[in-house]
Amino acid sequence: MDTMSSSTPLTALQVMQDAPVIPVIVLNDVAHAVPMARALLAGGIRMLEVTLRTPQALACIEAIARELPAAVVGAGTVRSKADAQAAANAGARFAVSPGYTSAVGQACRDAGLALLPGVATGGEIMAASEEGFTELKFFPAVQAGGVAMLKAWGGPFFDVKFCPTGGITLQNAPDFLALPNVVCVGGSWLVPANTAEEGDWGRVTRLASETANLRHLKL
Ligand code: 3PG
C-alpha cells in the first residue's frame, strides 16, 4: 500500500500486481467519478483505469486524483503523445494503450507514467519489448486468440508478462490468471454501462469484491 505514494513513479509491474483485475472505466459525467472510485475502493480495488473515451475523462481523472489519495488512477485509451501528456497533467499515475507506438512509449516515459502498451501480435510484442516494455496489455484478448495465444507466446516471449483485456469476465478470468505469463486481467464488467447513471454504487462494490476470490490464483 505505502509504496504507492504519489511522489514515486510506478512501474508497470506494480500496476499489474496490485489486484487480479484492473477495471476499465468509462465515465460520462464528472459527478460520477469519485463515487465510482469510492465504490471500487470499497470492493478492494484501487488501481483504476479511466478511459479517455469521453469529453469528461480528464476531469474525472483529476477529481479522483485530487479527492481520493487511496486510489491510484490511470488513463486508458492513450493513443498519442498529447493523450499521455494530458493524462499526466490530470494526475494519472499510469497509462494503458490499445496498441503500441514509439511516440506513446516515449511520451509516457517523459511524463513519468508507467505504461501498459497494447499488443495483439508477435511483431508488436517485439516492437514494444525492443523499446523496454515487457509488461503488456493483450488486446483484444478473447477476440485475438485468448488463452491459447498466451500459451503459444509463453515460448518465444518467455520474459514478457501480460494483462489480457477484451472479453474477460468473472467466469473466464481464472483460465487467464492461471497462466504463468499473466499477472492480472483488465475488464469493464465491474463497471456496467448503466450503473453510474443509476447511482447503483453498491453493485460496483459487489462486483469488485467478487474478484478478491481470484487473487489466490496469482499468489
Ligand atoms: C478496453 O476497452 O480496454 C476493453 O475493450 C475492455 O474490454 P471489455 O469491455 O470486453 O472488458
Side-chain angles (χ1 to χ4, degrees):
M1 283 277 175
D2 33 12
T3 57
M4 297 291 163
S5 140
S6 59
S7 54
T8 316
L10 295 175
T11 64
L13 198 58
Q14 282 177 309
V15 174
M16 289 168 100
Q17 281 177 330
D18 205 55
V21 184
I22 299 175
V24 177
I25 307 166
V26 179
L27 290 164
N28 293 299
D29 185 339
V30 71
H32 296 154
V34 169
M36 176 67 86
R38 271 210 189 97
L40 289 161
L41 282 171
I45 296 185
R46 64 174 173 169
M47 203 60 71
L48 312 177
E49 176 189 337
V50 175
T51 56
L52 302 185
R53 291 181 203 176
T54 62
Q56 300 81 8
L58 288 167
C60 290
I61 290 172
E62 208 173 298
I64 296 169
R66 184 181 59 239
E67 293 186 38
L68 293 178
V72 182
V73 65
T77 322
V78 171
R79 294 169 42 190
S80 66
K81 181 176 169 180
D83 285 345
Q85 288 167 340
N89 289 340
R93 308 275 311 280
F94 66 93
V96 183
S97 60
Y100 180 70
T101 66
S102 298
V104 165
Q106 192 55 51
C108 287
R109 282 212 171 97
D110 292 346
L113 291 172
L115 172 65
L116 298 183
V119 296
T121 67
E124 291 161 12
I125 296 171
M126 287 167 65
S129 57
E130 236 174 44
E131 296 186 3
F133 295 95
T134 52
E135 284 88 27
L136 309 174
K137 163 174 161 163
F138 172 27
F139 175 77
V142 168
Q143 298 86 337
V147 164
M149 188 71 132
L150 284 158
K151 280 187 181 162
W153 281 344
F157 303 119
F158 54 87
D159 51 350
V160 176
K161 300 291 182 201
F162 295 95
C163 169
T165 305
I168 310 293
T169 62
L170 184 67
Q171 287 66 41
N172 67 13
D175 298 335
F176 286 91
L177 288 164
L179 300 174
N181 56 350
V182 169
V183 181
C184 68
V185 299
S188 64
W189 88 88
L190 311 188
V191 286
N194 48 349
T195 41
E197 278 66 28
E198 290 167 2
D200 193 356
W201 308 119
R203 182 177 181 207
V204 173
T205 298
R206 277 193 303 280
L207 290 165
S209 303
E210 283 174 353
T211 68
N213 298 326
L214 300 171
R215 185 181 281 277
H216 72 277
L217 289 167
K218 296 316 295 179
L219 289 181

